[in-house]
Amino acid sequence: MRLFAALPVPDEIAEPLLGLQHGVPGARWRPRENFHITLCFFGDVSDPAIAKELDEELSRINAPALHLELGEIGVFGGREPRALWIGFAQNPALEELADACKQAAQRLGIKIGRKSYLPHITLAYCRGTLDVDAARFMERTAGFIAPEFEVDSFALYRSHLGTDPARYVPQAHYILNSF
Ligand code: 3AM
């Protein structure tokens, strides 16, 4: 089972993001149901007992609800764009929650990649997109602003590959403490 922890994206944010999704050759725009903010990618957890323990560990995380503000649009992949995404204003509480998910997994022996955490919502995966087209997208969307928003839960998702788009199915929801 391919598992990851992520925050859901509320409708009031998803809607304006959907409005950005046009005009980039080669972009495979993510549908609304695939929008999420990854906290930690756990990879393939093949042992159901470990998956159950991971669920229990995540349910024990004691963290506050998050006040989030979108940041800049970015591109992964440089000269060969792989993904278009929108980031977040710096947010220590978000980083702490991501770190708590990572530590929960590591306590169970799940290996987590060493890349530093960069919270984002993926808008598109790219196939054959030119860097100039990605740069034009960044220019066109530079003035994008969306209201701050609150998220009061996160979820453990199972990722089903093999279709495009992949299917992300929530397995469990975890409540964050209200303000
Ligand atoms: O849509 P995003 O990028 O937030 O990028 C993958 C996606 O998140 C990420 O997990 C989410 C569901 O697939 N992901 C996939 N493979 C990954 C890996 N090896 C990964 N994140 C880190 N390391």
Side-chain angles (χ1 to χ4, degrees):
M1 274 192 284
R2 233 173 122 80
L3 297 174
F4 64 100
L7 298 163
V9 175
D11 287 340
E12 79 256 28
I13 295 302
E15 271 189 30
L17 293 181
L18 289 167
L20 298 176
Q21 293 180 308
H22 60 91
V24 182
R28 290 140 65 213
W29 301 108
R30 309 323 287 158
R32 192 270 172 268
E33 61 270 23
N34 281 39
F35 284 173
H36 61 266
I37 306 151
T38 299
L39 293 163
C40 188
F41 179 75
F42 304 121
D44 194 25
V45 179
S46 48
D47 182 345
I50 299 284
K52 184 164 176 288
E53 282 183 53
L54 179 61
D55 168 45
E56 285 163 8
E57 285 278 350
L58 295 176
S59 70
R60 279 197 281 272
I61 289 176
N62 185 14
L66 297 168
H67 206 81
L68 298 177
E69 185 186 354
L70 288 171
E72 295 187 351
I73 305 267
V75 179
F76 287 138
R79 294 292 303 276
E80 291 183 13
R82 278 183 290 109
L84 308 176
W85 48 270
I86 187 158
F88 285 85
Q90 206 175 7
N91 188 322
L94 173 58
E95 284 174 26
E96 278 166 29
L97 177 58
D99 197 53
C101 292
K102 179 176 166 180
Q103 286 182 30
Q106 286 175 331
R107 277 196 290 278
L108 301 173
I110 295 171
K111 292 207 168 57
I112 303 298
R114 283 196 298 178
K115 278 191 193 154
S116 58
Y117 181 57
L118 180 75
H120 66 275
I121 300 170
T122 300
L123 299 173
Y125 290 129
C126 300
R127 196 182 279 154
T129 298
L130 300 177
D131 55 353
V132 289
D133 287 325
R136 238 176 249 139
F137 177 71
M138 288 175 70
E139 274 168 34
R140 172 163 68 76
T141 55
F144 176 78
I145 44 167
E148 291 181 20
F149 62 104
E150 277 161 29
V151 177
D152 59 8
S153 70
F154 68 105
L156 177 63
Y157 290 84
R158 180 168 178 185
S159 162
H160 296 267
L161 301 179
T163 56
D164 188 17
R167 235 165 20 97
Y168 303 142
V169 183
Q171 307 292 296
H173 294 273
Y174 312 102
I175 302 299
L176 297 166
N177 301 323
S178 48
F179 293 108

Short mmCIF file of all heavy atoms in Angstrom, two decimals, residues 74-96:
data_model
loop_
_atom_site.label_atom_id
_atom_site.label_comp_id
_atom_site.label_asym_id
_atom_site.label_seq_id
_atom_site.Cartn_x
_atom_site.Cartn_y
_atom_site.Cartn_z
N GLY A 74 5.38 27.71 -8.11
CA GLY A 74 6.73 27.22 -8.39
C GLY A 74 6.71 26.09 -9.41
O GLY A 74 5.65 25.57 -9.79
N VAL A 75 7.91 25.74 -9.86
CA VAL A 75 8.08 24.67 -10.84
C VAL A 75 9.12 23.70 -10.29
O VAL A 75 10.18 24.13 -9.83
CB VAL A 75 8.61 25.23 -12.18
CG1 VAL A 75 8.80 24.11 -13.20
CG2 VAL A 75 7.68 26.29 -12.73
N PHE A 76 8.81 22.41 -10.28
CA PHE A 76 9.84 21.40 -10.00
C PHE A 76 10.42 20.97 -11.34
O PHE A 76 9.67 20.75 -12.31
CB PHE A 76 9.24 20.16 -9.33
CG PHE A 76 8.83 20.35 -7.88
CD1 PHE A 76 7.64 19.83 -7.41
CD2 PHE A 76 9.64 21.03 -6.99
CE1 PHE A 76 7.25 19.99 -6.07
CE2 PHE A 76 9.27 21.20 -5.66
CZ PHE A 76 8.08 20.68 -5.21
N GLY A 77 11.72 20.83 -11.39
CA GLY A 77 12.33 20.26 -12.58
C GLY A 77 13.18 21.21 -13.40
O GLY A 77 13.85 20.78 -14.33
N GLY A 78 13.14 22.51 -13.11
CA GLY A 78 14.03 23.45 -13.79
C GLY A 78 13.84 23.46 -15.30
O GLY A 78 12.76 23.74 -15.80
N ARG A 79 14.91 23.10 -16.04
CA ARG A 79 14.88 23.15 -17.51
C ARG A 79 13.86 22.18 -18.11
O ARG A 79 13.39 22.37 -19.22
CB ARG A 79 16.28 22.83 -18.08
CG ARG A 79 17.35 23.86 -17.75
CD ARG A 79 17.10 25.18 -18.47
NE ARG A 79 17.02 25.04 -19.93
CZ ARG A 79 18.07 25.00 -20.73
NH1 ARG A 79 19.29 25.10 -20.24
NH2 ARG A 79 17.90 24.89 -22.03
N GLU A 80 13.59 21.12 -17.35
CA GLU A 80 12.59 20.14 -17.82
C GLU A 80 11.48 20.05 -16.78
O GLU A 80 11.50 19.16 -15.92
CB GLU A 80 13.25 18.77 -18.04
CG GLU A 80 14.19 18.79 -19.21
CD GLU A 80 14.79 17.42 -19.49
OE1 GLU A 80 14.30 16.41 -18.95
OE2 GLU A 80 15.75 17.37 -20.26
N PRO A 81 10.51 20.96 -16.87
CA PRO A 81 9.49 21.03 -15.82
C PRO A 81 8.78 19.70 -15.61
O PRO A 81 8.37 19.04 -16.56
CB PRO A 81 8.53 22.09 -16.36
CG PRO A 81 9.35 22.93 -17.27
CD PRO A 81 10.32 21.98 -17.91
N ARG A 82 8.67 19.32 -14.34
CA ARG A 82 7.98 18.07 -13.98
C ARG A 82 6.64 18.36 -13.32
O ARG A 82 5.72 17.58 -13.42
CB ARG A 82 8.83 17.26 -12.98
CG ARG A 82 9.91 16.44 -13.59
CD ARG A 82 10.63 15.63 -12.52
NE ARG A 82 11.44 16.43 -11.62
CZ ARG A 82 11.17 16.69 -10.35
NH1 ARG A 82 10.10 16.19 -9.78
NH2 ARG A 82 11.97 17.44 -9.61
N ALA A 83 6.57 19.48 -12.60
CA ALA A 83 5.33 19.79 -11.89
C ALA A 83 5.21 21.29 -11.67
O ALA A 83 6.21 21.99 -11.49
CB ALA A 83 5.31 19.07 -10.54
N LEU A 84 3.97 21.76 -11.72
CA LEU A 84 3.65 23.14 -11.37
C LEU A 84 2.89 23.08 -10.04
O LEU A 84 2.02 22.23 -9.87
CB LEU A 84 2.74 23.78 -12.44
CG LEU A 84 3.23 23.70 -13.89
CD1 LEU A 84 2.18 24.28 -14.83
CD2 LEU A 84 4.56 24.42 -14.05
N TRP A 85 3.24 23.95 -9.13
CA TRP A 85 2.64 23.88 -7.80
C TRP A 85 2.53 25.26 -7.19
O TRP A 85 3.13 26.22 -7.68
CB TRP A 85 3.49 22.97 -6.89
CG TRP A 85 4.98 23.25 -6.92
CD1 TRP A 85 5.89 22.69 -7.76
CD2 TRP A 85 5.72 24.17 -6.09
NE1 TRP A 85 7.15 23.20 -7.50
CE2 TRP A 85 7.07 24.11 -6.47
CE3 TRP A 85 5.36 25.04 -5.04
CZ2 TRP A 85 8.07 24.86 -5.87
CZ3 TRP A 85 6.36 25.80 -4.43
CH2 TRP A 85 7.69 25.70 -4.85
N ILE A 86 1.75 25.33 -6.12
CA ILE A 86 1.69 26.57 -5.36
C ILE A 86 2.14 26.27 -3.93
O ILE A 86 1.75 25.25 -3.35
CB ILE A 86 0.28 27.21 -5.42
CG1 ILE A 86 0.31 28.60 -4.75
CG2 ILE A 86 -0.80 26.33 -4.81
CD1 ILE A 86 -0.82 29.51 -5.18
N GLY A 87 2.99 27.13 -3.41
CA GLY A 87 3.55 26.92 -2.08
C GLY A 87 2.77 27.66 -1.01
O GLY A 87 1.67 28.16 -1.24
N PHE A 88 3.39 27.74 0.16
CA PHE A 88 2.75 28.37 1.32
C PHE A 88 3.68 29.37 1.98
O PHE A 88 4.91 29.21 1.92
CB PHE A 88 2.36 27.30 2.36
CG PHE A 88 1.16 26.52 1.92
CD1 PHE A 88 1.30 25.42 1.09
CD2 PHE A 88 -0.11 26.92 2.28
CE1 PHE A 88 0.19 24.72 0.64
CE2 PHE A 88 -1.22 26.24 1.83
CZ PHE A 88 -1.07 25.14 1.02
N ALA A 89 3.05 30.39 2.59
CA ALA A 89 3.83 31.29 3.43
C ALA A 89 4.41 30.46 4.58
O ALA A 89 3.81 29.46 4.98
CB ALA A 89 2.91 32.38 3.99
N GLN A 90 5.57 30.89 5.06
CA GLN A 90 6.24 30.11 6.11
C GLN A 90 5.31 29.89 7.30
O GLN A 90 4.59 30.82 7.70
CB GLN A 90 7.51 30.82 6.56
CG GLN A 90 8.46 29.80 7.10
CD GLN A 90 9.80 30.39 7.47
OE1 GLN A 90 9.99 31.59 7.44
NE2 GLN A 90 10.73 29.53 7.82
N ASN A 91 5.32 28.66 7.80
CA ASN A 91 4.35 28.31 8.83
C ASN A 91 4.94 27.22 9.74
O ASN A 91 4.91 26.04 9.42
CB ASN A 91 3.07 27.81 8.13
CG ASN A 91 1.95 27.59 9.10
OD1 ASN A 91 2.14 27.13 10.22
ND2 ASN A 91 0.75 27.95 8.68
N PRO A 92 5.49 27.64 10.89
CA PRO A 92 6.14 26.67 11.78
C PRO A 92 5.18 25.56 12.23
O PRO A 92 5.60 24.40 12.35
CB PRO A 92 6.59 27.52 12.97
CG PRO A 92 6.72 28.91 12.43
CD PRO A 92 5.66 29.03 11.37
N ALA A 93 3.91 25.88 12.46
CA ALA A 93 2.97 24.85 12.93
C ALA A 93 2.78 23.76 11.87
O ALA A 93 2.67 22.57 12.18
CB ALA A 93 1.64 25.48 13.30
N LEU A 94 2.77 24.19 10.61
CA LEU A 94 2.64 23.22 9.51
C LEU A 94 3.89 22.33 9.45
O LEU A 94 3.80 21.10 9.30
CB LEU A 94 2.45 23.98 8.19
CG LEU A 94 2.45 23.18 6.89
CD1 LEU A 94 1.38 22.09 6.90
CD2 LEU A 94 2.23 24.12 5.69
N GLU A 95 5.05 22.96 9.61
CA GLU A 95 6.30 22.17 9.57
C GLU A 95 6.36 21.19 10.74
O GLU A 95 6.81 20.05 10.60
CB GLU A 95 7.51 23.11 9.60
CG GLU A 95 7.69 23.76 8.25
CD GLU A 95 8.77 24.82 8.22
OE1 GLU A 95 9.69 24.74 9.05
OE2 GLU A 95 8.68 25.73 7.38
N GLU A 96 5.86 21.64 11.90
CA GLU A 96 5.88 20.74 13.07
C GLU A 96 4.95 19.55 12.86
O GLU A 96 5.28 18.43 13.25
CB GLU A 96 5.46 21.51 14.34
CG GLU A 96 6.63 22.29 14.92
CD GLU A 96 6.20 23.32 15.96
OE1 GLU A 96 5.17 23.11 16.63
OE2 GLU A 96 6.91 24.34 16.09
#
